[in-house]
Amino acid sequence: MSIADQALTEDLASRDDMIVCTGVSKWFDDFQALKGVDVTVKDREVMVVLGPSGSGKSTLIRCINRLEVHQEGSIFVDGIELTNDTRNIERIRSEVGMVFQQFNLFPHLSVIDNVTLAPVWVRKKSKVEAEQKAIELLERVGIPEQAQKYPGQLSGGQQQRVAIARSLAMEPKIMLFDEPTSALDPEMIAEVLDVMKDLARGGMTMMVVTHEMGFAREVADRLVFMESGEVVEVGTPEHFFTNPREDRTKLFLSQIL
Amino acid sequence: MSQTSSSSAIHYGTTKPPLWRNVAVLKWCAQLAVLLGVLAVFWFLIAEARTNLAAKSIPVGYDWLDNPANFQLGEGIQTVDTPERSLTMSRALWVGMVNTLRIAALGIIFSTLLGVLVGISRLSKNFVAQRFSSAYVEGLRNIPVLVQIILWLAILGSLGKLTPDTGPIPGWVIVSQKGISLPRVFLADGFYQFAALMLVFVVGIVAVRRQLKRRQDRDGGDLRIGLWTFVLFVISAAIAWLINPIMAFLGPIFGAIEDAWGAVPQGAMQLLLCVIAVVGVITWIRKFLDSKRSPAGLAKLTDDDWFRMIFSVFVGVVAVFVVVRGWPGLSSWIINSGSDFWGVLGDKFGDGRGAKPLDAMRPTLTEGRFVNFGDTGLTLTVFYASIFLGLVFYTSAFIAEVVRGGILAVPSGQSEAAAALGLTRAQALRKVVLPQAFRVIMPPLGNQYLNITKNTSLGIAVGFSEIVQVGQTVYNKNSQTLAVFSIYMIFYLSCSLSISSVVNTINRRLAIVER
Amino acid sequence: MSDVTMTPTSPSNGASNRTSPLQWVRVNLFSSVSNTIQTIVFTAITLGLLRALLGQAFSEEADWTSVSTNLRLLMIYNYPADQIIRIWVSAAVVLLAAGLSLGAWKVEPGYTVGRLGRHLVGLGLFSLVTRLLLPVHAPDTVRTWLIIIGVVSLVAGVVVQRGDPDGDRVMGFGTVLSGVALTFLAVLWLVPFGQYGLVDGVLVAESGTTVASSTKVPWTVLLIIVVASHRVGIILGRALGRSLRAALAAFWVVGPAFVIFVILRDPAFDWAHVWSTDIPIAAMFGLGGAAVLYFVAAPGKTEVARAVGAMLFAFALFNWVAAFFGWYPMLQKVRISFLIFAIVVLLVPAFAGDRSTRRRVAGGWVAAMVVFHWLLTAINTESTLVITAPPFLGGFVLTVGIAYYVMLASFPLGVLLSLARTSKLPIFRVMSTGYIEVIRGVPLITVLFFFSIMLPLFLPKGMGISDLAAVFAGYTVFSAAYMAENVRGGLQSVRRGQYEAADALGLTTVQRTSLIVLPQALRVSIPNLVGQAIAVFKETSLIAIVGGFDLLRIANSTIPNQPDFLGQKRPGLLFISLVYFVFAYSMSKSSQRLEARLKDAQAR
Ligand SMILES: Nc1ncnc2c1ncn2[C@@H]1O[C@H](COP(=O)(O)OP(=O)(O)OP(=O)(O)O)[C@@H](O)[C@H]1O
Ligand SMILES: [Mg+2]
């Protein structure tokens, strides 16, 4: 039995696999950033990835929508394997949304144009339809009144919420978050986390890299702890925060809590 | 290995996509297609040019370089056939190159001086100084340099006629329609022997310096290293001046090298070039693989990596093919020019007793013209002067802007800190601001130097014998346009490369100093 | 303040409004010993240089009638005098579009009343000083005019400054434009330009007929057009907004070519040929192409479009190969159209969409084909003009035309090169780096010579190229390398996160480049691109060396060879220097303002 399976509750075990990483390895020239990572994310599961800086968390989730190319092992997203196949890449990218630490909004486009860009050009929706949907999404993340502004005119928290709306506009099945609150001032973190909690409650499959332990404890179905490119431990929040098995996990948690 | 959940029926394992949807394949196909397309276009064009040239019965190649030039040059180190040395086509082109470099070097020096002055005065607190330099910059950089050059020619052409007693100081300093002439010092027969000897001495001086420095570091105290270096240098210069003929023995040695080089068979040179190509490819692949190697072993190579390596092998094969079959003349050209180089060097040595390294002369006139070169004064012809003035003023405006930008880029806190330490404004500028500004200034300054070098080609508009003008004369005579253009290209590219490598070196030095 | 260097040490010019002139002089000119020395030295240099310049301009031999008589030659070279109305119409079309554009884009000069006052005072003082320094040979009229200008602008300047003591009231562009136009008109009607007339290209000494008199009325009309169309542009811009700006942008791409090849060159269409060949070809490409594009622009057709595009591309290339070997004949424009069509089909999947998008793609294609084929036909048709000296374009028109189209043509080439140079694909990178560095390493003149001499050699039999076209091609190739470097600077300023966000959203490479990366990169490169435009404009003077009749060639060799003005070089050269200066300087000033505005926009 692998460490991944031990942690599966009965409910989760019965669900479909959304993301399956098997033996994923990744090198940056001569530096190996991922060393045979095995992770499975189930449908409607919220998985939080923890680990010290440089442990390969970002690299892992960036491999999942092919911002980085893994070199060994296999990654399946919703049953589609990530290979050099252009068609698979296109399909996976339009099914997986991603939110970045630095928001990465398009500064030359207004908020509404940021949100409608992908539906119009990738999903080939009509402009009107896309805008309706965009307004809806902006309402959902709580900033409908900012639609005509430019990203530079928004606060960090607002920008990150626009970024989430932008990803949601593609109607993804999976959302990846790479430290979405790390670049925010403390008073704005809550507003972004609220939106994420909302999403999780709505049944979105999510993989979240974060250092917000409160969020992890409250929302996560499972946590993954990584160190130097390896998965050290997988488990439920309860397991993690009460009695983690590995010493390395204990050390990390004692530092961060 | 892990045996992940079994609830869903997914086949785990890597599926290979079809070729036409494989990202790596598509990328490389696109690249190769474009590369082949470009090569094909070149091939078509060259084939077409060949047919067209053959139809006009113009031979392709560089054999004409040794033909006599049959024309006169306006000015330069050799303008006509002389008994000692005939003016061949290659010699004429060489004269043109030297003229270009003369203008460029002088232009670089003067435009830098002028540009720095104007740039600094543009930052002056004084209203008149600032306004004057703004007007200078705006006025000069917004008028095309070619117009300025031609305007200078028109202005200089309106000066007085040249007669034996023209001058401010007749016989010594002469300013006229034909140009400006001054007395000058020039390199004489013994110079290269002198320089070789000095080289030997300098090596010795450096060794002594190092020794002194080591002792100073060890024992402390001030050994006056700078003073000693200077004294030694002066003494060795004086000695070298007197005994330079002892280096004459180098002449025969270089001559021997010339012969040896010339005797290399073509096949050997081809073999050497092939070996260089093969070794180059192997080294590249080695390095590439090394960059993927860690203590944990070789990283998994992506398709892209494989394509890269295959392509580098392909390049190597093409290079070998070019050397062996495509262009055998390349090898003989390398052999010949190498041997020529040593021959020319050998000619510089072998002068006996009394060979002077330097000599001086006053302007001389014959038939209402300046004697252009040889043992005579330093003459700035109107052509030279107009292009020189045009380039210097035009470029100095740009350099002034570069300097100003560089100074402004230094945070004002720096000059405030200097002021707080009690430095005067001038001291602060020289000791604190300028050294920092220099780092910002260097790259664009290098760009301006490149521009000057390239703009010397405008000499063709005023009939100054620089490389482009000489080349034009050459191909008007013998229709060897393609060959002449390739010479232009090689010449200018080597100028650009040398200037940018000098600038880069300086930049790197500065970056190290910073740390 | 902003017209002076933005340095911490710059003198406070705005202070002149508040402090008394005497105080200002003391603070700015004689505050310390070194300051006083600087004042004296630089005043001496300035006056000396000004005197020397005036000495050149009004030397004993200088004859300024060589310029005033040849104004037409300098502007339009040998354009037939009886067809000159075409020039005026062209100018009207271009100025109309210029006025509309200025209005539609709400260009603001950022010129304040205070600055106008200062500039007027400065001009007045400058004229009076110049008057004092004039050499003895200067004509009396110059002396009189300098005094008049000096006194009038001094008085006007003082009045203006009194009228707006704070000096920070901003003047609208309409006001500035009208002011400039009025000044220009006043000069035109008051100053008796020229003493000769050009009749049928021959200089006729006819008292009373001056060159200017034939141009007063047209110029007046043109200036009215500019001012009026500016107002119209503002109004229309409010009503139509984006579509007006799109139309104007399209005009600026094809309009000038239309002006040159259709209005100025007046092609003599062979209507039988047009109906039997040109129109059917255009219709075939326009309608057939539109149908294909409408089909492949539907969502989900990506791979079909790619396959069709690749096949078309192969076919288009094959047509060129066949042309080189002479396998089968085909009209050149058919070959070009196939190539363009293939590229568009390859690009179109990136911009596929719903029905309205597809309609727009197809409609755009039809429009483009109509314009394109019309222009090609016009260019390939003989001209009706009877021209005494061969090139029908010359003088200032040539300078501006070449500069404009070189910029326009080298732009896409430069963008492609810069994309290739920053790309991850090694072969593209190496090729484009090689191209850029080689071209930037050699002087422009060698490239121009190469193209004008070698291009005919490289072309297969039966293909020709005119001298000017060869020079144009060479200049474009040259300029593209510099363009690429400027755009590369912009590309490097686009952060990696932008690429990643676009990828994560599923945009294709073409979409990512055209929708996300280039818009940001180009915005950053605008100041550098304007700088390059200025350089291109100045360096058109090199055309004089390779045989074009541009401003420089006319001033330096045509005019000095006229029997009336033998050897008169300096006035002409000084005059064209002034022309170049005025245009280059105003371009660089407006680019500085643009840069400041863009900085503001970024900070927003
Ligand atoms: N493009 C790259 N080139 C080379 N090395 C990289 C690159 N990206 C990441 N790495 C290296 O890979 C390792 C893992 O990086 P990664 O960004 O995944 O860490 P992380 O767990 O997200 O850390 P953090 O919490 O700081 O974001 C690091 O040591 C990093 O230096
Ligand atoms: Mg990270």
Side-chain angles (χ1 to χ4, degrees), chain B residues 31 45 48 52 123-124 126 130-131 141 394 404 454 475 482 496, chain C residues 4-5 9 11 35 38-39 427 440 453-454 457-458 482 538:
Chain B
Q31 291 185 73
L45 292 180
E48 205 54 53
N52 286 341
L123 292 171
S124 160
N126 183 281
Q130 198 202 75
R131 275 310 160 99
R141 73 170 176 182
Y394 182 74
R404 183 174 78 108
K454 288 184 282 175
Y475 67 63
L482 205 54
S496 304
Chain C
V4 198
T5 48
T9 53
N35 201 353
Q38 281 187 39
T39 306
I427 299 185
R440 275 161 35 98
I453 296 167
M454 296 303 286
L457 263 187
F458 281 132
Y482 288 81
K538 284 186 300 182

mmCIF file of all heavy atoms in Angstrom, chain B residues 31 45 48 52 123-124 126 130-131 141 394 404 454 475 482 496, chain C residues 4-5 9 11 35 38-39 427 440 453-454 457-458 482 538:
data_model
loop_
_atom_site.group_PDB
_atom_site.id
_atom_site.type_symbol
_atom_site.label_atom_id
_atom_site.label_comp_id
_atom_site.label_asym_id
_atom_site.label_seq_id
_atom_site.Cartn_x
_atom_site.Cartn_y
_atom_site.Cartn_z
ATOM 1 N N GLN B 31 10.597 24.760 -37.739
ATOM 2 C CA GLN B 31 11.915 25.413 -37.812
ATOM 3 C C GLN B 31 12.699 24.951 -39.022
ATOM 4 O O GLN B 31 13.271 25.755 -39.755
ATOM 5 C CB GLN B 31 12.723 25.088 -36.551
ATOM 6 C CG GLN B 31 12.181 25.724 -35.317
ATOM 7 C CD GLN B 31 13.097 25.457 -34.148
ATOM 8 O OE1 GLN B 31 14.170 26.029 -34.046
ATOM 9 N NE2 GLN B 31 12.695 24.589 -33.274
ATOM 10 N N LEU B 45 18.745 32.496 -55.476
ATOM 11 C CA LEU B 45 19.303 33.812 -55.808
ATOM 12 C C LEU B 45 20.736 33.669 -56.314
ATOM 13 O O LEU B 45 21.120 34.276 -57.323
ATOM 14 C CB LEU B 45 19.270 34.726 -54.579
ATOM 15 C CG LEU B 45 17.883 35.131 -54.120
ATOM 16 C CD1 LEU B 45 17.971 36.033 -52.900
ATOM 17 C CD2 LEU B 45 17.144 35.850 -55.236
ATOM 18 N N GLU B 48 20.849 32.188 -59.697
ATOM 19 C CA GLU B 48 20.432 33.192 -60.678
ATOM 20 C C GLU B 48 21.563 34.181 -60.937
ATOM 21 O O GLU B 48 21.870 34.530 -62.084
ATOM 22 C CB GLU B 48 19.195 33.911 -60.124
ATOM 23 C CG GLU B 48 18.317 34.510 -61.153
ATOM 24 C CD GLU B 48 17.904 33.489 -62.186
ATOM 25 O OE1 GLU B 48 17.390 32.409 -61.812
ATOM 26 O OE2 GLU B 48 18.138 33.750 -63.378
ATOM 27 N N ASN B 52 23.458 35.001 -64.417
ATOM 28 C CA ASN B 52 23.517 36.365 -64.937
ATOM 29 C C ASN B 52 24.947 36.825 -65.118
ATOM 30 O O ASN B 52 25.274 37.480 -66.120
ATOM 31 C CB ASN B 52 22.784 37.323 -64.004
ATOM 32 C CG ASN B 52 21.286 37.162 -64.119
ATOM 33 O OD1 ASN B 52 20.801 36.623 -65.108
ATOM 34 N ND2 ASN B 52 20.566 37.602 -63.108
ATOM 35 N N LEU B 123 23.871 69.992 -17.793
ATOM 36 C CA LEU B 123 23.361 69.832 -16.435
ATOM 37 C C LEU B 123 23.769 70.996 -15.535
ATOM 38 O O LEU B 123 23.512 70.984 -14.342
ATOM 39 C CB LEU B 123 23.888 68.534 -15.838
ATOM 40 C CG LEU B 123 23.353 67.264 -16.484
ATOM 41 C CD1 LEU B 123 24.094 66.055 -15.978
ATOM 42 C CD2 LEU B 123 21.876 67.136 -16.199
ATOM 43 N N SER B 124 24.439 71.987 -16.141
ATOM 44 C CA SER B 124 24.930 73.094 -15.332
ATOM 45 C C SER B 124 23.781 73.903 -14.739
ATOM 46 O O SER B 124 22.667 73.894 -15.246
ATOM 47 C CB SER B 124 25.802 73.989 -16.208
ATOM 48 O OG SER B 124 25.904 75.259 -15.634
ATOM 49 N N ASN B 126 23.948 77.018 -14.616
ATOM 50 C CA ASN B 126 23.955 78.292 -15.332
ATOM 51 C C ASN B 126 22.989 78.263 -16.505
ATOM 52 O O ASN B 126 23.015 77.344 -17.328
ATOM 53 C CB ASN B 126 25.374 78.563 -15.824
ATOM 54 C CG ASN B 126 25.475 79.899 -16.511
ATOM 55 O OD1 ASN B 126 25.091 80.023 -17.655
ATOM 56 N ND2 ASN B 126 25.962 80.897 -15.800
ATOM 57 N N GLN B 130 23.319 76.003 -19.944
ATOM 58 C CA GLN B 130 22.351 74.944 -20.152
ATOM 59 C C GLN B 130 21.609 75.121 -21.467
ATOM 60 O O GLN B 130 21.426 74.180 -22.231
ATOM 61 C CB GLN B 130 21.388 74.997 -18.983
ATOM 62 C CG GLN B 130 20.614 73.758 -18.824
ATOM 63 C CD GLN B 130 19.371 74.072 -18.063
ATOM 64 O OE1 GLN B 130 18.446 74.667 -18.612
ATOM 65 N NE2 GLN B 130 19.367 73.716 -16.803
ATOM 66 N N ARG B 131 21.191 76.363 -21.736
ATOM 67 C CA ARG B 131 20.453 76.618 -22.961
ATOM 68 C C ARG B 131 21.337 76.399 -24.180
ATOM 69 O O ARG B 131 20.912 75.831 -25.182
ATOM 70 C CB ARG B 131 19.891 78.051 -22.974
ATOM 71 C CG ARG B 131 18.573 78.149 -22.271
ATOM 72 C CD ARG B 131 17.676 77.077 -22.808
ATOM 73 N NE ARG B 131 16.583 76.771 -21.923
ATOM 74 C CZ ARG B 131 15.354 77.265 -22.105
ATOM 75 N NH1 ARG B 131 15.104 78.072 -23.112
ATOM 76 N NH2 ARG B 131 14.403 76.927 -21.282
ATOM 77 N N ARG B 141 21.559 67.015 -33.575
ATOM 78 C CA ARG B 141 21.124 65.629 -33.780
ATOM 79 C C ARG B 141 19.882 65.544 -34.648
ATOM 80 O O ARG B 141 19.513 64.470 -35.083
ATOM 81 C CB ARG B 141 20.904 64.926 -32.450
ATOM 82 C CG ARG B 141 19.681 65.357 -31.717
ATOM 83 C CD ARG B 141 19.433 64.438 -30.557
ATOM 84 N NE ARG B 141 18.300 64.938 -29.798
ATOM 85 C CZ ARG B 141 17.853 64.391 -28.698
ATOM 86 N NH1 ARG B 141 18.439 63.331 -28.228
ATOM 87 N NH2 ARG B 141 16.830 64.886 -28.069
ATOM 88 N N TYR B 394 27.932 65.776 -35.092
ATOM 89 C CA TYR B 394 26.688 65.005 -35.037
ATOM 90 C C TYR B 394 26.739 64.023 -33.867
ATOM 91 O O TYR B 394 25.861 63.993 -33.015
ATOM 92 C CB TYR B 394 26.518 64.265 -36.351
ATOM 93 C CG TYR B 394 25.259 63.455 -36.487
ATOM 94 C CD1 TYR B 394 24.036 64.081 -36.702
ATOM 95 C CD2 TYR B 394 25.283 62.074 -36.441
ATOM 96 C CE1 TYR B 394 22.882 63.347 -36.861
ATOM 97 C CE2 TYR B 394 24.139 61.324 -36.598
ATOM 98 C CZ TYR B 394 22.942 61.969 -36.808
ATOM 99 O OH TYR B 394 21.799 61.234 -36.968
ATOM 100 N N ARG B 404 24.585 62.793 -20.258
ATOM 101 C CA ARG B 404 23.609 63.414 -19.377
ATOM 102 C C ARG B 404 22.722 62.353 -18.728
ATOM 103 O O ARG B 404 22.503 62.355 -17.515
ATOM 104 C CB ARG B 404 22.740 64.387 -20.160
ATOM 105 C CG ARG B 404 21.760 65.128 -19.304
ATOM 106 C CD ARG B 404 21.037 66.161 -20.109
ATOM 107 N NE ARG B 404 19.999 65.566 -20.925
ATOM 108 C CZ ARG B 404 18.694 65.707 -20.674
ATOM 109 N NH1 ARG B 404 18.312 66.436 -19.663
ATOM 110 N NH2 ARG B 404 17.805 65.135 -21.437
ATOM 111 N N LYS B 454 30.466 53.193 -38.740
ATOM 112 C CA LYS B 454 29.649 52.920 -39.908
ATOM 113 C C LYS B 454 29.429 54.181 -40.732
ATOM 114 O O LYS B 454 29.417 54.141 -41.959
ATOM 115 C CB LYS B 454 28.308 52.324 -39.479
ATOM 116 C CG LYS B 454 28.460 50.897 -38.989
ATOM 117 C CD LYS B 454 27.137 50.279 -38.666
ATOM 118 C CE LYS B 454 26.620 50.746 -37.337
ATOM 119 N NZ LYS B 454 25.280 50.242 -37.046
ATOM 120 N N TYR B 475 34.642 48.122 -58.146
ATOM 121 C CA TYR B 475 33.662 47.332 -58.896
ATOM 122 C C TYR B 475 33.140 48.064 -60.126
ATOM 123 O O TYR B 475 32.640 47.442 -61.042
ATOM 124 C CB TYR B 475 32.541 46.757 -58.031
ATOM 125 C CG TYR B 475 31.558 47.703 -57.384
ATOM 126 C CD1 TYR B 475 30.719 48.511 -58.133
ATOM 127 C CD2 TYR B 475 31.432 47.729 -56.012
ATOM 128 C CE1 TYR B 475 29.796 49.339 -57.528
ATOM 129 C CE2 TYR B 475 30.520 48.546 -55.394
ATOM 130 C CZ TYR B 475 29.706 49.352 -56.155
ATOM 131 O OH TYR B 475 28.793 50.170 -55.559
ATOM 132 N N LEU B 482 29.895 41.435 -56.196
ATOM 133 C CA LEU B 482 29.622 40.496 -55.122
ATOM 134 C C LEU B 482 30.827 40.383 -54.184
ATOM 135 O O LEU B 482 30.702 40.460 -52.960
ATOM 136 C CB LEU B 482 29.304 39.126 -55.734
ATOM 137 C CG LEU B 482 28.451 38.207 -54.894
ATOM 138 C CD1 LEU B 482 27.175 38.905 -54.487
ATOM 139 C CD2 LEU B 482 28.140 36.954 -55.680
ATOM 140 N N SER B 496 32.763 46.160 -36.008
ATOM 141 C CA SER B 496 31.693 46.138 -35.006
ATOM 142 C C SER B 496 32.047 45.178 -33.891
ATOM 143 O O SER B 496 31.906 45.496 -32.710
ATOM 144 C CB SER B 496 30.382 45.683 -35.631
ATOM 145 O OG SER B 496 30.054 46.498 -36.704
ATOM 146 N N VAL C 4 12.334 72.295 -19.858
ATOM 147 C CA VAL C 4 13.746 72.266 -19.513
ATOM 148 C C VAL C 4 14.051 70.860 -19.003
ATOM 149 O O VAL C 4 13.159 70.075 -18.730
ATOM 150 C CB VAL C 4 14.061 73.295 -18.409
ATOM 151 C CG1 VAL C 4 15.554 73.590 -18.354
ATOM 152 C CG2 VAL C 4 13.294 74.556 -18.642
ATOM 153 N N THR C 5 15.322 70.560 -18.894
ATOM 154 C CA THR C 5 15.709 69.261 -18.365
ATOM 155 C C THR C 5 15.115 69.072 -16.981
ATOM 156 O O THR C 5 15.085 69.992 -16.168
ATOM 157 C CB THR C 5 17.223 69.205 -18.247
ATOM 158 O OG1 THR C 5 17.634 70.396 -17.597
ATOM 159 C CG2 THR C 5 17.866 69.140 -19.594
ATOM 160 N N THR C 9 19.139 70.091 -10.723
ATOM 161 C CA THR C 9 19.921 71.315 -10.706
ATOM 162 C C THR C 9 19.390 72.367 -11.676
ATOM 163 O O THR C 9 19.948 73.439 -11.765
ATOM 164 C CB THR C 9 21.374 71.018 -11.088
ATOM 165 O OG1 THR C 9 21.348 70.306 -12.318
ATOM 166 C CG2 THR C 9 22.076 70.203 -10.029
ATOM 167 N N PRO C 11 17.589 75.360 -13.466
ATOM 168 C CA PRO C 11 17.093 76.610 -12.894
ATOM 169 C C PRO C 11 15.582 76.644 -12.957
ATOM 170 O O PRO C 11 14.979 76.048 -13.833
ATOM 171 C CB PRO C 11 17.702 77.667 -13.796
ATOM 172 C CG PRO C 11 17.910 76.974 -15.092
ATOM 173 C CD PRO C 11 18.216 75.556 -14.758
ATOM 174 N N ASN C 35 29.749 80.622 -11.782
ATOM 175 C CA ASN C 35 28.546 80.867 -12.562
ATOM 176 C C ASN C 35 28.758 82.045 -13.510
ATOM 177 O O ASN C 35 28.396 81.995 -14.688
ATOM 178 C CB ASN C 35 27.396 81.146 -11.595
ATOM 179 C CG ASN C 35 26.050 80.903 -12.248
ATOM 180 O OD1 ASN C 35 25.984 80.660 -13.446
ATOM 181 N ND2 ASN C 35 25.005 80.969 -11.463
ATOM 182 N N GLN C 38 30.949 81.030 -16.335
ATOM 183 C CA GLN C 38 30.191 80.234 -17.302
ATOM 184 C C GLN C 38 29.325 81.124 -18.169
ATOM 185 O O GLN C 38 29.264 80.973 -19.394
ATOM 186 C CB GLN C 38 29.294 79.235 -16.569
ATOM 187 C CG GLN C 38 30.041 78.011 -16.083
ATOM 188 C CD GLN C 38 29.084 76.983 -15.506
ATOM 189 O OE1 GLN C 38 28.004 76.777 -16.030
ATOM 190 N NE2 GLN C 38 29.487 76.361 -14.417
ATOM 191 N N THR C 39 28.645 82.065 -17.527
ATOM 192 C CA THR C 39 27.780 82.954 -18.297
ATOM 193 C C THR C 39 28.578 83.663 -19.377
ATOM 194 O O THR C 39 28.183 83.686 -20.546
ATOM 195 C CB THR C 39 27.145 84.003 -17.363
ATOM 196 O OG1 THR C 39 26.502 83.326 -16.302
ATOM 197 C CG2 THR C 39 26.163 84.859 -18.119
ATOM 198 N N ILE C 427 16.594 27.352 -33.843
ATOM 199 C CA ILE C 427 16.939 27.712 -35.224
ATOM 200 C C ILE C 427 16.408 29.108 -35.561
ATOM 201 O O ILE C 427 17.094 29.932 -36.165
ATOM 202 C CB ILE C 427 16.386 26.672 -36.211
ATOM 203 C CG1 ILE C 427 17.011 25.312 -35.915
ATOM 204 C CG2 ILE C 427 16.687 27.066 -37.645
ATOM 205 C CD1 ILE C 427 16.638 24.247 -36.893
ATOM 206 N N ARG C 440 22.873 45.169 -38.632
ATOM 207 C CA ARG C 440 23.232 46.296 -37.773
ATOM 208 C C ARG C 440 24.728 46.551 -37.761
ATOM 209 O O ARG C 440 25.181 47.621 -37.354
ATOM 210 C CB ARG C 440 22.743 46.049 -36.342
ATOM 211 C CG ARG C 440 21.303 46.463 -36.153
ATOM 212 C CD ARG C 440 20.698 45.827 -34.939
ATOM 213 N NE ARG C 440 21.619 45.679 -33.854
ATOM 214 C CZ ARG C 440 21.697 46.518 -32.829
ATOM 215 N NH1 ARG C 440 20.914 47.549 -32.767
ATOM 216 N NH2 ARG C 440 22.555 46.301 -31.881
ATOM 217 N N ILE C 453 22.348 47.734 -56.815
ATOM 218 C CA ILE C 453 23.206 47.161 -57.844
ATOM 219 C C ILE C 453 22.990 45.669 -57.982
ATOM 220 O O ILE C 453 22.898 45.132 -59.091
ATOM 221 C CB ILE C 453 24.686 47.434 -57.509
ATOM 222 C CG1 ILE C 453 24.941 48.926 -57.546
ATOM 223 C CG2 ILE C 453 25.590 46.741 -58.503
ATOM 224 C CD1 ILE C 453 26.265 49.291 -56.944
ATOM 225 N N MET C 454 22.888 44.986 -56.831
ATOM 226 C CA MET C 454 22.871 43.532 -56.884
ATOM 227 C C MET C 454 21.487 42.946 -57.126
ATOM 228 O O MET C 454 21.361 41.877 -57.703
ATOM 229 C CB MET C 454 23.438 42.968 -55.576
ATOM 230 C CG MET C 454 24.870 43.311 -55.338
ATOM 231 S SD MET C 454 25.914 42.759 -56.671
ATOM 232 C CE MET C 454 25.950 41.002 -56.348
ATOM 233 N N LEU C 457 20.732 41.767 -60.428
ATOM 234 C CA LEU C 457 21.527 40.585 -60.781
ATOM 235 C C LEU C 457 20.893 39.304 -60.269
ATOM 236 O O LEU C 457 20.983 38.255 -60.884
ATOM 237 C CB LEU C 457 22.916 40.700 -60.142
ATOM 238 C CG LEU C 457 24.043 41.230 -60.992
ATOM 239 C CD1 LEU C 457 25.352 41.093 -60.246
ATOM 240 C CD2 LEU C 457 24.109 40.457 -62.286
ATOM 241 N N PHE C 458 20.256 39.401 -59.092
ATOM 242 C CA PHE C 458 19.714 38.206 -58.460
ATOM 243 C C PHE C 458 18.376 37.781 -59.058
ATOM 244 O O PHE C 458 17.951 36.653 -58.880
ATOM 245 C CB PHE C 458 19.515 38.448 -56.960
ATOM 246 C CG PHE C 458 20.790 38.351 -56.173
ATOM 247 C CD1 PHE C 458 21.131 39.321 -55.257
ATOM 248 C CD2 PHE C 458 21.645 37.283 -56.361
ATOM 249 C CE1 PHE C 458 22.299 39.233 -54.536
ATOM 250 C CE2 PHE C 458 22.810 37.183 -55.636
ATOM 251 C CZ PHE C 458 23.143 38.164 -54.733
ATOM 252 N N TYR C 482 16.768 47.125 -37.030
ATOM 253 C CA TYR C 482 16.737 48.063 -35.901
ATOM 254 C C TYR C 482 15.370 48.014 -35.221
ATOM 255 O O TYR C 482 15.262 48.069 -33.996
ATOM 256 C CB TYR C 482 17.046 49.480 -36.378
ATOM 257 C CG TYR C 482 18.494 49.651 -36.740
ATOM 258 C CD1 TYR C 482 18.978 49.235 -37.965
ATOM 259 C CD2 TYR C 482 19.393 50.182 -35.821
ATOM 260 C CE1 TYR C 482 20.317 49.361 -38.288
ATOM 261 C CE2 TYR C 482 20.720 50.315 -36.126
ATOM 262 C CZ TYR C 482 21.184 49.904 -37.363
ATOM 263 O OH TYR C 482 22.503 50.020 -37.666
ATOM 264 N N LYS C 538 15.676 60.986 -41.167
ATOM 265 C CA LYS C 538 16.923 61.704 -41.455
ATOM 266 C C LYS C 538 17.751 60.960 -42.494
ATOM 267 O O LYS C 538 18.363 61.569 -43.368
ATOM 268 C CB LYS C 538 17.741 61.859 -40.166
ATOM 269 C CG LYS C 538 17.204 62.925 -39.253
ATOM 270 C CD LYS C 538 18.140 63.132 -38.075
ATOM 271 C CE LYS C 538 18.290 61.870 -37.269
ATOM 272 N NZ LYS C 538 19.158 62.048 -36.102
#
